[in-house]
Amino acid sequence: MYSSYSDYDLQVLITKDRNQSAFEELYNRYWDKVFAICNNRLQNVEASEDIIQDVFISLWQHQDLQGVSNMSAYLYQATKFSIIKYLNRISKYDTVDPQDIGFFDRLDGVDLNEMINYKEIQAILMDGVNQLPPQTKLIFQYSRIDQLNSKEIAEKLDISPRTVENQIGKALKVLRKILRNTHNFIFFLF
């Protein structure tokens, strides 16, 4: 029914009327392509299907698809970052809260200018902070968000300043690794 419609026309129908048939047309147009990208990287059909399903659910829930100028690029990018999230979730490395932008300046060897979409990278890192041990997460937030020094954090938590420094160091080490893995993965994809 909508096969002759452009992506933009379908996006308008989905945004304005929540037209399920228009959404199904977009889904049918792109599912095989984004699944192939995902499965090629993961070599796991079940995980790839789950990721692609989540991408399309997110697309359906998107409030303004008219703002998407290139649907294929949008879906490929969403898939790419969903893969990164998945790999971070299953990896043995934790990720860290990126709420504090200032600490990015202290990361050696990571060129954040090459990251395609900072907000999505930030979301990937924010997902990981919730997986950190509670005390490490709290110390990191006090240090990088509340801008407390090690002594202030130590007094607040009744621990030694050295423990605070060790926890911050561990969190930053994990963050460097996640960012490098993300950077390498983006380079591998494109």
Side-chain angles (χ1 to χ4, degrees), residues 27-50:
Y27 180 90
N28 291 331
R29 254 180 221 182
Y30 290 105
W31 192 91
D32 288 337
K33 294 172 187 170
V34 292
F35 174 79
I37 290 169
C38 188
N39 195 47
N40 185 43
R41 176 63 176 111
L42 296 179
Q43 299 295 309
N44 182 329
V45 172
E46 186 176 307
S48 296
E49 288 174 343
D50 289 345

Side-chain angles (χ1 to χ4, degrees), residues 5-171:
Y5 281 53
S6 70
D7 287 351
Y8 181 77
D9 292 336
L10 294 172
Q11 291 164 219
V12 169
L13 288 170
I14 295 167
T15 299
K16 287 187 176 179
D17 303 329
R18 304 307 294 159
N19 186 307
Q20 289 183 344
S21 296
F23 178 77
E24 287 173 17
E25 177 61 31
L26 274 180
Y27 180 90
N28 291 331
R29 254 180 221 182
Y30 290 105
W31 192 91
D32 288 337
K33 294 172 187 170
V34 292
F35 174 79
I37 290 169
C38 188
N39 195 47
N40 185 43
R41 176 63 176 111
L42 296 179
Q43 299 295 309
N44 182 329
V45 172
E46 186 176 307
S48 296
E49 288 174 343
D50 289 345
I51 287 169
I52 300 309
Q53 201 63 27
D54 288 345
V55 166
F56 278 100
I57 288 170
S58 177
L59 181 69
W60 175 253
Q61 294 171 341
H62 198 288
Q63 294 298 314
D64 183 19
L65 290 179
Q66 291 172 275
V68 177
S69 61
N70 184 334
M71 182 55 67
S72 63
Y74 176 86
L75 287 170
Y76 297 150
Q77 186 173 346
T79 300
K80 176 180 53 182
F81 286 108
S82 294
I83 292 168
I84 293 168
K85 283 182 186 180
Y86 171 78
L87 292 174
N88 282 337
R89 243 188 344 262
I90 65 167
S91 77
K92 64 180 178 177
Y93 303 104
D94 291 324
T95 56
V96 186
D97 185 2
Q99 290 287 354
D100 173 49
I101 296 170
F103 77 94
F104 281 157
D105 297 334
R106 294 185 286 273
L107 299 176
D108 298 329
V110 178
D111 185 359
L112 294 178
N113 292 327
E114 293 178 351
M115 297 299 179
I116 293 173
N117 187 323
Y118 173 76
K119 286 184 181 180
E120 290 183 341
I121 295 297
Q122 185 179 26
I124 290 167
L125 295 173
M126 288 178 66
D127 285 344
V129 77
N130 294 324
Q131 297 173 21
L132 286 173
Q135 186 171 9
T136 303
K137 176 181 174 181
L138 184 61
I139 289 170
F140 189 79
Q141 289 175 332
Y142 280 151
S143 171
R144 298 307 194 237
I145 295 171
D146 297 339
Q147 299 294 314
L148 299 178
N149 65 36
S150 296
K151 185 177 178 185
E152 293 169 327
I153 297 169
E155 289 172 2
K156 194 170 195 151
L157 297 176
D158 197 27
I159 57 176
S160 77
R162 184 71 182 142
T163 300
V164 170
E165 291 167 10
N166 287 339
Q167 293 296 315
I168 293 170
K170 286 179 185 178

